[in-house]
């Protein structure tokens, strides 16, 4: 009977060792998933920042375009008034 108990103990130890390995594997996978989630969050934040910057630059570009158009139309007005005054 004593031999039987030792066998059972050895089996229990084997099961425990297996559970330990499984637990370590699960822990490793969970940590990997968490790390990937953080990486994804970081990337999302960076994408948002770039989008925001892009919108800012687009609107600045529009303002500059408008400014240049205004300057050009203003200078053509000056040119036409100059030629008119010279004709007199």
């Amino acid at each position: 009977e004593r031999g039987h108990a030792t066998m059972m103990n050895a089996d229990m130890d084997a099961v425990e060792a297996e559970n330990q390995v499984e637990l370590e594997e699960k822990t490793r996978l969970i940590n990997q998933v968490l790390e990937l989630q953080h990486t994804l969050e970081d990337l999302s934040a960076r994408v948002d920042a770039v989008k925001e910057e892009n919108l800012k630059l687009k609107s600045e570009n529009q303002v500059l375009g408008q400014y240049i158009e205004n300057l050009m139309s203003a200078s053509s007005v000056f040119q036409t008034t100059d030629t008119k005054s010279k004709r007199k």
Side-chain angles (χ1 to χ4, degrees), residues 18-40:
E18 215 173 290
N19 284 346
Q20 189 61 34
V21 167
E22 213 172 294
L23 193 68
E24 282 168 16
E25 183 69 8
K26 276 182 186 170
T27 305
R28 200 178 59 80
L29 286 172
I30 287 169
N31 285 335
Q32 222 174 338
V33 167
L34 289 173
E35 206 177 305
L36 287 171
Q37 279 180 341
H38 288 314
T39 304
L40 185 61

Side-chain angles (χ1 to χ4, degrees), residues 4-82:
H4 185 66
T6 315
M7 274 286 287
M8 270 183 72
N9 281 348
D11 283 350
M12 294 276 282
D13 287 347
V15 168
E16 236 169 83
E18 215 173 290
N19 284 346
Q20 189 61 34
V21 167
E22 213 172 294
L23 193 68
E24 282 168 16
E25 183 69 8
K26 276 182 186 170
T27 305
R28 200 178 59 80
L29 286 172
I30 287 169
N31 285 335
Q32 222 174 338
V33 167
L34 289 173
E35 206 177 305
L36 287 171
Q37 279 180 341
H38 288 314
T39 304
L40 185 61
E41 278 170 22
D42 289 346
L43 287 174
S44 293
R46 276 167 63 187
V47 167
D48 287 344
V50 168
K51 274 186 187 169
E52 216 173 290
E53 183 67 17
N54 204 20
L55 280 174
K56 236 192 284 180
L57 289 173
K58 260 187 190 168
S59 87
E60 278 177 28
N61 219 10
Q62 278 180 327
V63 169
L64 284 174
Q66 196 64 51
Y67 178 68
I68 289 168
E69 261 178 56
N70 291 346
L71 282 178
M72 283 166 71
S73 64
S75 68
S76 70
V77 166
F78 291 142
Q79 283 165 7
T80 52
T81 53
D82 279 354

